[in-house]
Amino acid sequence: MNTQIKNWFSSGRPYVWLNAGAVTVSAIMVIGLLLLIAVRGLEHFWPADIAVFDYYAEPDAEKVSYMGEYIDRDTVTRARAGNIKYEGDEFTRYLLKIGNRDVYGLDFAWVIGAGIKNESYPEDATIIERREWGNLHGFIKSVTVNGQTIESGDIWQTFQETVEASNKIHEEIRHIEKDLIGAINYKMERLRLQERRLEIKGNKTPEELADLESKRAELQSEYNVYTEQLAKLYKEFNEPFFVAVLAGGKEKTVNFSIVVRAFRPNAMSVFDKIGFYFEKLWEFLSDEPREANTEGGIFPAIFGTVLMVIIMSILVTPFGVVAAVYLREYASQGPFTRLVRIAVNNLAGVPSVVYGVFGLGFFVYFLGGSIDQLFFKASLPAPTFGTPGLLWASLTLAILTVPVVIVATEEGLSRVPRAIREGSLAVGATKAETMWRTVLPMTAPAMITGLILAVARAAGEVAPLMLVGVVKLAPSLPLDANAPFLHLDRKFMHLGFHIYDVGFQSPNVEAARPLVYATALLLVLLIIVLNLTAIRIRNNLREKYRAAEQN
Amino acid sequence: MSKNDISITESVLPDFNSAKARNHRNKRHINDVITRYLMSFGGVSVIIAIVLIAFYLFYVVFPMFMPAKVKEFGNYAVPGDVQQRTIYFTMEEQHEIAIRVTDKGEVVFFETKDGSVRDKLKLPIPENVEITSFSSGDPTQRTLALGLSDGSVILFQHNYQVTYPNDERLITPGLFFPYGETPTSLFDEATPINFLTVQYDGEMATIIAVSESAKAKILNITREESFLSDEVEITRKQSELLLETPSLVSMRMDVEQRDLYVAGSGGNIFFYDISNKSNPSLVDKVRAVSSNERITSLEFLAGGISILVGDSTGKISQWFPVRNEANEYSLEKVRSFNKNKSPIVSIVPEYFRKAFVAVDEKGHLGLFHTTAERVVYFSKLKQDNVEAIGIAPRANAIVYQDSNTDSLHYLDVHNKHPEISWKSIWGKVWYESRAGPEYIWQSSSASSVFEPKFSLTPLVFGTLKAAFYAMLIAMPLAILGAMYTAYFMAPKMRQVVKPTIEIMEALPTVILGFLAGLWLAPFVEKHLPGTFMVFILVPLSVLAAAALWEFVPERIKHVIPEGWEAVLLIPVVLLSALTAILLSQPVENLFFGGNMPLWLSTELGITYDQRNSLVVGFAMGFAVIPTIFSISEDAVYSVPKHLTSGSLALGATPWQTMVRVVLLTASPGIFSAVMIGMGRAVGETMIVVMATGNTAIMDLNIFQGFRALSANIAVEMPESEVGSTHYRVLFLAGLVLFIATFCFNTVAEVVRQRLRNKYSSL
């Protein structure tokens, strides 16, 4: 037996298996991670049933009534459970989302399985999503609309209609406040800057001042019209309310103005739930965040990420391609170009946070500060470009990713068969013509590969952005209806930073967690798709040249 | 027309030499040249732009290591009465106006740039009474006091009111007597006060005076506003302190009015605790200079914790009370400066930084910083015999008067970063109120006289600790995996496995960090014994599976061809990992009292942080596995086939071929993979920000967190003020990261190039 084992080991086969084990572990880690993110990110939108039960934290403790959805469960040892009086070595604990933060202080609670008694799933248990204080869990007792209180009959119908009506008003108010009044404020600010500019120039003529004044008065009167409208809307908005009975019998009066939607998961069929699921998913993708980013959607973050990546691409492609073409086609190949190549390769490995430091020091404070001094003197001391913003973030990431584009393009250039170049030159084309008409078109897929890789890297980078332009909550998108439409000086939101911020800086991590998973899933999918595209293009390219080389 | 011409006109081609054709050719030529220059220009500028990064980092870091610059800006006759001797100089915040106090009780406010007198005031000294001593409180309080020959003291403040008439700054100086213009009498008899020290902070004042005997008088005045009415109650407490020595050199009280230092002419320093004003006590007595030397100057450093002692040899030493285990304080000499060679005439501390100016008898002016142990500037002044010297609150100007020509010199000082030296960044520094020299990173605090602790060592340590644990997890998995994938794995499977693992390289690290911090850290804490069992159980069960496979009948073995072992192992690995986690709780109940983290801290004294190095090791290991895997796989895969075929043909087993031939040939490639992985681990930011506690401790404990260079930059950079020392130190941290990764990558690149050449020759 002993010699058998010895022989077996000396054959080396166990080692091969160990090596195989390393691959298996790596692959399982990769796939497990993706599955973890996917499951955790997607399950959040599913409307889970609400349980109503009585709970005893200890066998002899007082009864507490709970109403909520089970979020998580785990098993802990007696020591870790805090040596409770229930019997057993191990305990199952459930994480319950109980909502009603305004009443309980916390909207999550851990309960010990052994303490749950009289569990039921009543059909009329309702979850009401609100704009403040998180969800409300309870039973609707009465609805008051237009001074009339409905307590019996089809309360639920009335309730849903009122929610719909109040959401419409909310939409209208938001439109007036954000778009219309926002535009007026923007114009007012421009007028102020115009006046300040005249002041700096030192020739403030009465005509010019009068002109400014009349424009200002015009804006003011417009503004007054809107405020009147708003006052009317708000009156209508704040009037209807309802009374809900919480678990344990406590009553709570809530205005409809803060209700986003209400649903009764226990009464929903599977199809209802699927419909609801996609509605929530869509809200997540298309809506703005609420409640310190722990509720609602992530649209501004998606928008910010995409816009920043687009601007970065516009900046990085020409620079990267020009540098690669110079290195491969024009520079004389020697120790110098070799050195430059090594340097470029190495820059791809320099930590991204170093680029962030550079971007902050050079772009934001030095370049931005100088631009402000030259062109935006009127708004000083408030900085325009001398503060982190979209342009600087894009530029920093462009510098960060330019080595990727250079390397990819160079590889593409080196793969163009010599015969094609020589053929072009032989029929009398100049070097420039050869390049524009034959070499570069053939390299285009390589450039696109480089660009996609650059985009994939830029989309996932967070550390440098923390220094040069992202914020947790941007008041307005960097692209809007106010001229000049694209506001490069604005700060923006970003998916990666959103994950960091909501996951780690949020006051209510438990509530934010599912959204973070969902955001992470979105980001991972985005990056995997981009990378797979790059790989596909690269493979096609290789096939194509193999054909060209063989001919 | 000749025949030749006809043939040309009949040709379908246009005339080669026609003007149009020539034009066209010229245009093409010009285009070609323009493209060449544009491309060269563009290419070179892009390359310069990216190389600029390194230079810019240097450019920002560089000023920290520059010596200070001192330039004389004004030189004029001393304003006020030249006959009177100057006892005190200082300036206001903007260093526009300076104040001169003379030994006859004259206060002159004058413009620093030309010496023109703004205001001249006479202090209310009674007739026939002379000034016998002088004391200035903490400079930020602008409190001065005169000890008079009749045993009384006048306390006053110099204040500056800033107004902006016509949008221009106007500073109006003035004097304020908080306890009235009549001198406060400390001694019953009319005895001259020879030594005096005062502090006044607007609420409380303490005056300590010594006349001819060794009996010091302590007067403590407090004012309390009653909560109910506007009444102000003033309490005076007077007590006595019998000094150890009757012959004094100097006497200083700290800004908190709790400590008193007395320098005796014998070279001793006596440290008294006067926090209880009615019962002061001697805490420690030390000999500050050797026997044939004497103390010439005694001064507090900003903040009132350290005392600076200048002696007759020109040495300046810093002392502060250090607490021992028994909670007793003793005065310790922390460091000394030996730059001056002749007796120190005066030491002037800066208002806010732990720096000071010292002048010696020969007229050498030195700017020193204690924390950095750095002589920032040292030079001989134009005139020696300095009578008095003062510094501006922001330490950007100095005025001094020489008694040779009785002229006043106004010096402009450019001394932005005295707190930085090689030692203060990398070495152990004995910071104020600490028990001994330490490595500490603590960049800011609420207090304005806080001693910044800019030691990058703990941060570098944190970075290396993170990289170490990450490599510990990543290296075996990635390299063994790469060996298998490149050499043993079935090609079909390789086509799937390689891109799958490589795609993870692009996975945003913020996601890994967030999972590590919010999912893995609690998971590991909950299943701590299980986590460690995974490390043992998984390899063991892989071996067991391999052994079992030997007994599987050939028939079944043939169904699964060689190179698919990894697939067979999926259930094995999953099951064994699951078993380890499931066994976690029973094991914990059995051996660790049901709570292993608690057991660790109570039984072994190891602190357990939830976000610790183990978690970071997992997450960062995960981040670098793809990098190392991909490069070493390439290296192994590109080992020429004839080498392996030869080895196999000679009868070596595949494993022997792998270890003795393939691995040996590919080892430089694997080395470079490890270097690049290391570079990535060192610079990784988001994982370390999110998965550790970010406390800058130096401890190899796997269950504790750390603060890495990169995380430190990401966290502190947005809050640091542009151009400040903190800002530049963070740039230095960035530069260190840059250089480190650049080195790792260059070594890797060079090794790889060599390897490529070697393969091509094989």
Side-chain angles (χ1 to χ4, degrees), chain A residues 4 8-31 33-34 36-37 40 74-80 89-90 93 110 319-323 325-327 330 336 338 340 342-355 357-358 360-362 365-366 399 402-403 406 428-433 435-436 440 456 459-463 466-467 496-497 499-500 503-504 509 513 516-517 519-521 523-524 527-528 531-532 535 538, chain B residues 28-29 31-32 35-36 38-40 42-44 46-47 49-53 56-57 476-477 480-485 488-489 497 499-501 503-504 506-515 517-519 525-529 538-539 542-543 545-547 549-550 565-570 573-574 585-586 588-589 593-597 611 618 622 625 629 653 655-656 679 683-686 689-690 710 713-714 717-718 720 722 727 730-731 734 737-738 741-742 745-746 749-750 753:
Chain A
Q4 229 175 343
W8 182 54
F9 269 96
S10 65
S11 75
R13 281 199 295 276
Y15 302 118
V16 177
W17 280 85
L18 272 182
N19 283 6
V23 176
T24 314
V25 169
S26 306
I28 285 177
M29 275 165 70
V30 168
I31 290 159
L33 177 112
L34 295 181
L36 176 75
I37 297 173
R40 297 259 172 151
D74 72 348
T75 317
V76 288
T77 59
R78 171 171 280 280
R80 290 201 190 213
D89 279 342
E90 291 178 1
R93 293 190 302 185
W110 279 102
F319 288 129
V321 169
V322 165
V325 167
Y326 166 74
L327 271 181
Y330 285 99
F336 175 72
R338 223 174 37 235
V340 168
I342 288 183
V344 167
N345 252 330
N346 280 354
L347 280 172
V350 165
S352 54
V353 71
V354 175
Y355 286 95
V357 167
F358 171 76
L360 183 71
F362 187 74
Y365 292 139
F366 177 71
I399 289 252
V402 83
I406 295 180
T430 61
K431 192 166 182 181
E433 285 163 350
M435 223 176 57
W436 285 118
L440 285 187
E461 216 41 274
V462 177
M466 284 166 77
L467 307 183
F497 184 74
I499 293 174
Y500 166 68
F504 287 80
V509 176
R513 201 184 298 237
V516 185
Y517 277 105
T519 314
L521 178 66
L523 190 57
V524 169
I527 280 160
I528 289 182
N531 271 283
L532 287 179
I535 291 174
R538 194 167 52 192
Chain B
R28 286 174 59 205
H29 177 68
N31 265 343
D32 190 32
T35 312
R36 170 188 305 271
L38 272 183
M39 285 289 174
S40 306
V44 169
V46 170
I47 289 159
I50 50 185
V51 175
L52 181 80
I53 295 170
Y56 187 74
L57 295 180
L477 281 177
L480 296 183
M483 281 158 60
Y484 181 79
T485 311
F488 297 107
M489 191 181 272
V497 168
T500 311
I501 296 183
I503 234 174
M504 299 322 286
L507 192 79
T509 51
V510 68
I511 289 176
L512 291 177
F514 134 72
L515 280 178
L518 287 189
W519 180 78
E525 191 188 19
K526 210 182 284 170
H527 305 280
L528 196 56
V538 170
V542 167
L543 278 182
W549 185 248
E550 297 289 318
E565 289 95 339
V567 178
L568 288 175
L569 283 175
I570 291 177
V573 170
L574 281 179
Q585 268 171 15
E588 198 168 28
N589 271 335
N595 191 343
M596 189 170 167
R611 293 182 185 166
F618 268 120
F622 197 96
I625 281 175
F629 175 86
T653 63
W655 179 250
Q656 281 169 335
E684 180 41 55
T685 310
M686 289 321 286
V689 168
M690 296 162 93
S710 51
I713 296 173
M717 195 78 185
S720 78
V722 188
Y727 177 82
L730 291 178
F731 262 77
L737 276 182
F738 182 91
T741 47
F742 208 86
N745 290 341
T746 309
E749 187 66 26
V750 169
Q753 295 263 355

Side-chain angles (χ1 to χ4, degrees), chain B residues 84-111:
Chain B
Q84 300 181 8
R85 288 179 51 82
T86 309
I87 49 178
Y88 188 67
F89 272 132
T90 194
M91 282 165 267
E92 47 71 46
E93 192 87 18
Q94 309 296 336
H95 63 92
E96 253 176 46
I97 293 173
I99 174 177
R100 173 182 180 226
V101 183
T102 69
D103 63 345
K104 295 282 181 283
E106 192 181 73
V107 175
V108 186
F109 291 103
F110 60 94
E111 304 251 348

Side-chain angles (χ1 to χ4, degrees), chain B residues 277-528:
Chain B
K277 300 289 177 303
S278 49
N279 185 22
S281 61
L282 179 73
V283 180
D284 198 11
K285 164 188 161 183
V286 290
R287 214 177 149 75
V289 292
S290 42
S291 55
N292 46 359
E293 291 153 17
R294 62 202 159 74
I295 298 173
T296 56
S297 185
L298 184 74
E299 207 64 60
F300 267 107
L301 205 56
I305 296 168
S306 304
I307 192 105
L308 297 165
V309 181
D311 70 18
S312 53
T313 60
K315 192 169 76 193
I316 303 163
S317 45
Q318 181 193 1
W319 301 71
F320 55 73
V322 174
R323 189 160 55 175
N324 64 10
E325 278 97 34
N327 235 348
E328 289 161 344
Y329 283 96
S330 62
L331 207 54
E332 299 286 339
K333 181 167 161 182
V334 178
R335 55 181 73 86
S336 55
F337 296 92
N338 294 316
K339 193 79 184 172
N340 295 69
K341 297 296 174 226
S342 57
I344 301 295
V345 179
S346 70
I347 297 174
V348 186
E350 280 191 15
Y351 282 47
F352 301 108
R353 298 186 298 198
K354 306 288 175 188
F356 62 93
V357 177
V359 186
D360 66 16
E361 237 169 39
K362 296 242 171 74
H364 291 282
L365 175 84
L367 305 185
F368 302 86
H369 194 277
T370 54
T371 319
E373 259 190 87
R374 181 175 170 202
V375 183
V376 193
Y377 175 84
F378 192 79
S379 168
K380 197 165 160 48
L381 292 169
K382 272 190 192 154
Q383 298 286 342
D384 52 4
N385 272 334
V386 173
E387 186 169 307
I389 182 163
I391 190 164
R394 292 182 188 169
N396 45 9
I398 290 175
V399 282
Y400 76 93
Q401 177 189 352
D402 72 88
S403 43
N404 298 346
T405 60
D406 268 337
S407 60
L408 195 134
H409 306 261
Y410 170 58
L411 308 178
D412 186 65
V413 179
H414 190 86
N415 183 16
K416 282 259 158 75
H417 313 288
E419 55 270 74
I420 294 306
S421 66
W422 193 254
K423 193 177 167 203
S424 71
I425 289 178
W426 300 113
K428 271 192 176 177
V429 176
W430 196 343
Y431 298 104
E432 281 185 343
S433 313
R434 310 289 305 192
E438 284 165 286
Y439 300 109
I440 301 179
W441 172 272
Q442 192 191 353
S443 56
S444 57
S445 132
S447 160
S448 62
V449 286
F450 159 76
E451 183 175 28
K453 302 168 180 68
F454 289 130
S455 177
L456 288 183
T457 314
L459 305 181
V460 171
F461 179 87
T463 295
L464 293 178
K465 182 177 172 186
F468 172 75
Y469 284 117
M471 295 311 268
L472 213 58
I473 285 172
M475 255 166 48
L477 281 177
I479 296 175
L480 296 183
M483 281 158 60
Y484 181 79
T485 311
Y487 192 68
F488 297 107
M489 191 181 272
K492 226 182 200 166
M493 197 175 149
R494 180 173 175 268
Q495 272 172 18
V496 182
V497 168
K498 200 176 176 212
T500 311
I501 296 183
E502 275 177 348
I503 234 174
M504 299 322 286
E505 196 169 357
L507 192 79
T509 51
V510 68
I511 289 176
L512 291 177
F514 134 72
L515 280 178
L518 287 189
W519 180 78
L520 188 64
F523 182 87
V524 168
E525 191 188 19
K526 210 182 284 170
H527 305 280
L528 196 56

Side-chain angles (χ1 to χ4, degrees), chain A residues 274-384:
Chain A
I274 292 175
F276 183 85
Y277 182 83
F278 283 103
E279 191 189 319
K280 284 285 281 181
L281 198 62
W282 176 245
E283 185 203 10
F284 174 69
L285 293 175
S286 65
D287 217 347
E288 284 178 17
R290 297 196 308 263
E291 303 223 23
N293 294 353
T294 58
E295 299 271 346
I298 53 163
F299 179 71
I302 300 177
F303 188 85
T305 311
V306 170
L307 189 65
M308 181 211 56
V309 161
I310 290 174
I311 296 173
M312 181 219 74
S313 310
I314 294 170
L315 292 169
V316 79
T317 320
F319 288 129
V321 169
V322 165
V325 167
Y326 166 74
L327 271 181
R328 176 64 55 179
E329 304 282 323
Y330 285 99
S332 55
Q333 305 297 315
F336 175 72
T337 36
R338 223 174 37 235
L339 205 72
V340 168
R341 230 165 253 144
I342 288 183
V344 167
N345 252 330
N346 280 354
L347 280 172
V350 165
S352 54
V353 71
V354 175
Y355 286 95
V357 167
F358 171 76
L360 183 71
F362 187 74
F363 292 140
V364 176
Y365 292 139
F366 177 71
L367 270 187
S370 312
I371 289 175
D372 276 2
Q373 282 298 333
L374 285 175
F375 303 110
F376 297 95
K377 232 178 173 155
S379 45
L380 283 176
T384 310

